C-alpha cells in the first residue's frame, strides 16, 4: 500500500511517492517486451518478417527498461539517506575525527621524543638539506622529520648551490643578495664549494 504525504496531496507529491513503484513496473514490462521481441525475431527466418517484432516489441521494451531505470534512480536520489547510509556517514565522521586528532598529536609526540618539546618554535634561520636534494627546508618540515640524513646548511651554501625553498614548509627565501648581507648562522655548511668532504 502506498502512503501519501499528509496534508494536501499534490500531483508532484503523488508522483514522487509512486516513482519507485512505477520504475519497477516499467522495468518488468520492458524486460517482458524485450523477451517477446526476441522470441518473435528468433522464430522468423527472413529479415523482413523480423522487423515488425523489433518495432512493436523490442524498441518499446528498451525504452521502458530505460525509463524504469531512470525512475528508480530518481526515486533513490530524491529521498534522504536511509538507515544504512546514515550509519556509514556517522562512521566516516568518527573516523575523520579520530584521524585528525591523531594527526594533531603526532607532531607533538615527535617533538617530545626528540627533545625538541622545550622550544615552541624551531630556530629561525636554521636550514636543512637532504643529500642530493635540490630544496632546502625548515627543521619542522614534514619532508625532513623522521629522516636521519638531513644536514644543516648555511645561507651562503644555499645561495652558492642554487637550492630552491621547499614548497611545503616555505622557508625564508635565500638569494645571492641575502648571502652577502646576512652572516652564515651555521659555520659548517654541507656541500658548499670548497668544503672538505672528508
Amino acid at each position: 500500500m502506498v502512503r501519501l504525504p499528509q496534508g494536501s496531496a499534490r500531483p508532484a507529491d503523488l508522483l514522487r511517492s509512486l516513482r519507485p513503484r512505477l520504475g519497477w513496473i516499467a522495468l518488468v514490462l520492458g524486460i517482458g517486451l524485450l523477451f517477446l521481441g526476441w522470441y518473435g525475431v528468433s522464430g522468423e527466418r527472413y529479415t523482413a518478417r523480423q522487423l515488425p517484432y523489433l518495432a512493436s516489441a523490442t524498441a518499446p521494451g528498451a525504452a521502458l527498461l530505460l525509463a524504469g531505470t531512470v525512475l528508480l534512480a530518481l526515486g533513490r536520489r530524491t529521498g534522504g539517506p536511509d538507515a544504512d547510509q546514515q550509519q556509514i556517514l556517522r562512521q566516516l565522521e568518527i573516523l575523520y575525527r579520530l584521524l585528525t586528532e591523531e594527526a594533531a598529536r603526532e607532531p607533538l609526540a615527535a617533538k617530545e621524543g626528540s627533545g625538541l618539546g622545550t622550544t615552541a618554535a624551531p630556530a629561525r634561520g636554521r636550514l636543512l638539506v637532504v643529500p642530493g636534494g635540490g630544496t632546502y627546508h625548515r627543521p619542522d618540515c614534514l619532508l625532513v622529520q623522521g629522516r636521519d640524513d638531513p644536514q644543516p646548511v648555511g645561507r651562503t651554501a644555499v645561495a652558492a648551490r642554487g637550492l630552491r625553498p621547499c614548497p611545503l614548509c616555505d622557508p625564508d627565501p635565500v638569494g645571492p643578495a641575502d648571502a652577502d648581507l646576512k652572516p652564515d648562522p651555521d659555520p659548517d655548511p654541507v656541500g658548499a664549494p670548497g668544503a672538505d668532504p672528508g
Side-chain angles (χ1 to χ4, degrees), residues 81-98:
D82 60 1
D84 290 338
Q85 290 171 338
Q86 288 176 351
Q87 175 73 14
I88 291 171
L89 289 174
R90 280 194 301 272
Q91 289 174 343
L92 282 174
E93 185 177 334
I94 291 168
L95 180 63
Y96 175 76
R97 205 173 324 123
L98 289 173

Side-chain angles (χ1 to χ4, degrees), residues 79-160:
D82 60 1
D84 290 338
Q85 290 171 338
Q86 288 176 351
Q87 175 73 14
I88 291 171
L89 289 174
R90 280 194 301 272
Q91 289 174 343
L92 282 174
E93 185 177 334
I94 291 168
L95 180 63
Y96 175 76
R97 205 173 324 123
L98 289 173
L99 287 175
T100 54
E101 288 173 6
E102 185 62 30
R105 273 189 247 138
E106 228 172 70
L108 295 175
K111 284 183 181 178
E112 289 170 2
S114 64
L116 296 175
T118 57
T119 59
R124 187 158 179 82
R126 184 164 180 248
L127 301 173
L128 297 174
V129 66
V130 176
T135 58
Y136 60 96
H137 309 269
R138 294 188 332 209
D140 61 341
C141 181
L142 293 173
L143 297 176
V144 296
Q145 283 183 354
R147 293 185 64 152
D148 296 333
D149 58 345
Q151 300 167 344
V153 65
R155 290 185 170 286
T156 53
V158 167

Side-chain angles (χ1 to χ4, degrees), residues 51-78:
L51 288 178
Y53 291 107
L54 289 175
S56 63
T58 307
L64 278 173
L65 194 67
L66 181 64
T69 304
V70 168
L71 285 172
L72 285 175
L74 287 175
R76 284 191 62 86
R77 190 181 64 140
T78 56

